[in-house]
Each structure stands twice: as C-alpha cells, then as structure tokens.
Amino acid sequence: MPWEKSFDESEVIDKAMHVFWQKGYMATSISDLTAATGIQRGSLYNAFSGKQELFLRSLQKYDREQRCVLLKRLEAIDDPLKAISVLFDAIVQQSMEDPQKKGCFLINTSLTLSEHDDEAQALVSTALKEFTQFFARQIKLGQQREQIPVTVPVRATARALFALVVGIRVMGRGGFDKPALHQVAKQALRLVS
Amino acid sequence: MPWEKSFDESEVIDKAMHVFWQKGYMATSISDLTAATGIQRGSLYNAFSGKQELFLRSLQKYDREQRCVLLKRLEAIDDPLKAISVLFDAIVQQSMEDPQKKGCFLINTSLTLSEHDDEAQALVSTALKEFTQFFARQIKLGQQREQIPVTVPVRATARALFALVVGIRVMGRGGFDKPALHQVAKQALRLVS
DNA sequence: CCGTGTTTTGACCTATCGGTCCAATCAATC
DNA sequence: GATTGATTGGACCGATAGGTCAAAACACGG
C-alpha cells in the first residue's frame, strides 16, 4: 500500500548540516535547504516538522560524527600526552584544510543560539562539557602514569585546554594562518608539563 | 533655516550597539532598532544609510570604548605580569556580571560575519590582532625586566593568551560559571612563567 | 490493472524583512 | 508671522521569510 520515500533521510540531514554549519541558523533559509538537498519544500515539511527540527538533527549528526568520533579515536591512543597532542594537531588541521573556514559547528552554534532553542542549547552544553571531561580524564591518567606532574590541577587545566581549543577554532575562522594556530597548539602542551 | 536633529546620534548608535551585540546582525531587524532607539524608521534612514552602516558604527563604537579603553588602562599599569593578570580578571568579571551573557561583540561578530561585509571584517581582524600585539608587548617587556623567563616564546605565547581570552568569552556565554572561568584565567599565567 | 494510501510537487498563504517616500512638522531667519 | 528647508512619522513597497495545502504521481496488495 504505502510507498517508500525517494530520498535517504540521513543524506538530507547531512546536506542540511553543511548549510547550517556554514551559514548559521538564521542566515539559512528554507530555499537554501531545498536547493542544497534537492528535495522540494513540501517533502521537506513532510519528513521534518520544520527548520528547527532539521537544525537540531543536523547538530546531533555533527556531534555524533565529528566530536564523538574524534574523542573516541583519541581515547584509543592510550597515551595521555600523545592523545592531547594529536587532538590539537587535528583541530589545527581541520581548521585549515576546510576552504570554507566553517570552524566547529558546535562552537559556532553556542554563540549564535537564541535562548529559546532549549534542546539545541542542551546539546551544545553537554557536548562542550564532555569535551572538557575528556581532557580531565587524560590528565588524571597521565598523572597516574607519571607522565604529567601531580602539581597540575586537573579540572582547571582541563578547562584551560578546552578554552584553547575554542580559541583555535574561532581564530581559524578569522585571519590567522596555520603557523599561528600551530604555535597555540604547542603552548597547550606547556599546561600539562 | 534648517533644523537640528532631535536625537543624539551617538546615543542612537549606543542603543543600536547593545541590540546588535545581544542578537547579532542577522537576528536584529530594523523594527528592533527603532524600538530600542526610540526614533522612527524614516529618521533612522535619514541619519544612516541603512542597517549595515549602523552595524559598522556600532562595532566601531564598541571597539573604541571597550577594547581600546581596556587595553590603554592595562598598558598604564606598567607591570607586565600584573597587567596580564588584571586583564584576565577583567574578562572573567565582564563575562559574568552581564546578566544577558552577551560576551564580546567583536568575537561574536567574527563568527557571525558573512564574507561580504569587508569593512566590518577588516575592523574585527585588526582589533583581534592588536589584542595579541598587546600580549606580545607585555611579554617582551616582562622579559626585559626579568619577570618573565626569556625561554618563553613571545609571539606564540601571545597568541595562546589571546586564544584563552577567546575561549573564556565563548565559555562565558555557555553554561560555564565564574569559578570555572577563573580557573582558566589562572592557567593563563602559567604560560608566562 | 485497479483501488489504496503515502509521497511529491509547486502554487499559495500570511508575516515580516530592509528600504522608500512624502506630507506634516518644526526651528531658524527674515 | 510668513518663509524656508531639513527632520520626522508612518503608510507603503517589492522581496522574501517560514509554513500550508490540495491535487498529481506513485508502489504496493488485491
């Protein structure tokens, strides 16, 4: 009886994600989304409740596929100092290899978000917090293995490292070039030694 | 013959600035601006060429009254370590005492800006660069006075300190509280010792 | 190959956007 | 107080925003 959708919902979200990521929520119109995804207005509203939901799903997808994947990859390294170092290199790399200089979708969103989008707000909030918890875990582990001095305060340093990540991602969108970002990344390691 | 304007142009820009600062360029409508400034649509367009110019003027005013004033105040301290420390305290203070959590107008704008606003882009770019140059000057001065080890790389550390400033301002808009930001500020000083 | 019920399409809706326009309004000059 | 000419208020403009809807297109079970 029914009929299968002619498009892959996940692909649509992926296309929408890149538009939202580049232009932000407000600057992205429904027309932008239909143009980018190839599906028509009505179909889009048939599959999703509206712009908001599509944005939230995009944000979730980014969080799942970018942040979670990255952190899991780093956690597998099982060498705290190396993991932190690789993380910063990866961030610098990601920041510079993107010709559109989109930066980090989550961080961009945290600055753009109006206070009415409770769900998105919550998503961003927990995402950023889990990021600092990653740092905290690595530092603690490093201290257990005596790679990192026990004089290094765990939570404070974790937060500072996270602040540096945020700084790098924001600077990567402005006029700062790769050597500049790399210098910042190098300084991050001084906080854990 | 003619007739004096009934409003103070500078006051209008100040009111507009706070709206743009809080909501961003795109999310601010002309109606928002007329409501906030009290003057009517026609008068606004009579005094300014449009939304763009008003935004640029707002950004200039912020740059002049916030960033420049702050940096000048710090420069007068004539004690590099103290100046840096006071700067970070001030940033944390500013971030938390604002109930609206607006953050830094310049940093917000650097993430929101579309690539067509050349003038605003340039303003933000030089503002951010002068900020890192401030750090560089302080570090160099601190080394001359033997307050800061000469092993500290000037430019790299200056950029890292700036990245921390950006991080703090962004984190201040999200769920992070005052103790958290203060811990980050404390870590900044470890980079210059 | 015919119903069935979902998907698709694109025209259409209202609200609001940034911006224009001009008659009414006023302060200064005569 | 009449004249002057910029300022003001707010109706108005086309464009576009996000969102709706009904008819056409379609894949399946019978």
Side-chain angles (χ1 to χ4, degrees):
Chain A
M1 337 131 43
W3 182 20
E4 305 250 315
K5 279 194 181 68
S6 75
F7 59 86
D8 180 6
E9 195 170 89
S10 170
E11 279 181 20
V12 167
I13 293 179
D14 191 75
K15 301 255 184 65
M17 181 187 82
H18 280 88
V19 181
F20 280 129
W21 187 0
Q22 191 187 356
K23 311 180 62 161
Y25 179 79
M26 286 250 49
T28 301
S29 68
I30 302 292
S31 300
D32 290 332
L33 295 171
T34 58
T37 59
I39 69 177
Q40 298 284 22
R41 225 181 177 72
S43 301
L44 204 155
Y45 276 92
N46 182 243
F48 309 96
S49 71
K51 195 182 171 185
Q52 298 237 58
E53 190 200 333
L54 198 45
F55 179 76
L56 186 61
R57 302 279 296 270
S58 298
L59 208 55
Q60 288 170 336
K61 187 181 175 83
Y62 179 91
D63 186 46
R64 223 180 307 120
E65 296 184 354
Q66 305 284 323
R67 181 189 68 88
C68 292
V69 166
L70 175 61
L71 290 188
K72 198 148 278 176
R73 204 184 73 195
L74 294 168
E75 209 106 38
I77 289 180
D78 196 47
D79 177 339
L81 281 183
K82 179 92 181 164
I84 292 173
S85 160
V86 169
L87 165 59
F88 276 95
D89 285 345
I91 299 263
V92 172
Q93 183 70 14
Q94 282 178 27
S95 295
M96 299 315 290
E97 81 187 0
D98 177 13
Q100 305 181 96
K101 300 272 170 61
K102 296 192 295 293
C104 169
F105 191 20
L106 286 162
I107 293 173
N108 297 350
T109 299
S110 85
L111 280 184
T112 304
L113 224 47
S114 78
E115 50 279 342
H116 308 304
D117 311 339
D118 290 339
E119 293 187 286
Q121 196 82 270
L123 178 69
V124 169
S125 184
T126 70
L128 302 190
K129 256 161 201 156
E130 281 182 21
F131 219 111
T132 83
Q133 284 167 6
F134 161 80
F135 281 127
R137 277 196 306 275
Q138 297 298 316
I139 293 171
K140 222 174 283 180
L141 190 59
Q143 290 177 334
Q144 285 170 11
R145 300 190 184 173
E146 297 179 6
Q147 287 185 343
I148 297 175
V150 289
T151 55
V152 169
V154 178
R155 288 160 59 84
T157 306
R159 283 167 173 156
L161 289 177
F162 175 68
L164 281 176
V165 168
V166 172
I168 289 174
R169 296 240 78 156
V170 173
M171 290 164 76
R173 297 200 62 182
F176 294 86
D177 57 4
K178 188 161 186 170
L181 299 193
H182 216 79
Q183 286 180 329
V184 177
K186 271 256 168 339
Q187 297 304 307
L189 296 179
R190 290 192 51 214
L191 291 176
V192 287
S193 64
Chain B
M1 352 141 16
W3 182 20
E4 304 254 315
K5 279 194 181 69
S6 75
F7 59 86
D8 179 7
E9 190 168 291
S10 171
E11 279 181 20
V12 168
I13 294 180
D14 192 75
K15 302 255 183 64
M17 183 187 81
H18 280 88
V19 182
F20 280 129
W21 187 359
Q22 191 186 358
K23 310 181 62 162
Y25 180 79
M26 286 249 51
T28 301
S29 69
I30 302 293
S31 301
D32 290 331
L33 294 172
T34 58
T37 59
I39 69 177
Q40 297 283 30
R41 228 182 176 69
S43 303
L44 204 154
Y45 276 92
N46 184 37
F48 309 95
S49 71
K51 195 181 172 186
Q52 298 238 60
E53 189 200 335
L54 198 45
F55 179 76
L56 185 61
R57 301 278 296 269
S58 298
L59 208 54
Q60 288 169 338
K61 187 182 176 83
Y62 179 91
D63 186 46
R64 222 181 307 121
E65 295 184 355
Q66 304 284 324
R67 181 188 68 87
C68 292
V69 165
L70 176 61
L71 290 188
K72 197 148 279 177
R73 204 184 73 196
L74 294 168
E75 210 106 38
I77 290 181
D78 196 46
D79 176 340
L81 281 183
K82 180 92 181 165
I84 292 173
S85 160
V86 170
L87 165 59
F88 276 95
D89 286 345
I91 299 262
V92 172
Q93 183 70 15
Q94 283 178 27
S95 295
M96 299 315 290
E97 82 188 359
D98 177 12
Q100 305 182 97
K101 299 273 172 62
K102 296 193 294 294
C104 168
F105 191 20
L106 286 162
I107 293 173
N108 297 350
T109 299
S110 85
L111 280 185
T112 305
L113 223 47
S114 79
E115 49 280 342
H116 309 304
D117 311 339
D118 290 339
E119 293 187 285
Q121 197 81 271
L123 177 70
V124 170
S125 184
T126 71
L128 301 190
K129 258 165 198 151
E130 280 181 22
F131 219 111
T132 82
Q133 284 167 7
F134 161 81
F135 281 127
R137 275 195 307 274
Q138 297 298 316
I139 293 171
K140 224 175 280 180
L141 190 59
Q143 290 178 333
Q144 286 171 10
R145 300 191 184 173
E146 296 178 6
Q147 286 186 343
I148 297 175
V150 290
T151 56
V152 169
V154 178
R155 288 160 59 85
T157 305
R159 282 166 173 158
L161 290 177
F162 175 67
L164 281 177
V165 169
V166 173
I168 289 174
R169 297 239 79 156
V170 173
M171 289 164 76
R173 298 201 61 182
F176 294 86
D177 57 3
K178 187 160 185 170
L181 299 192
H182 217 79
Q183 287 180 328
V184 177
K186 270 255 169 338
Q187 296 305 306
L189 296 179
R190 292 192 50 215
L191 291 176
V192 285
S193 64

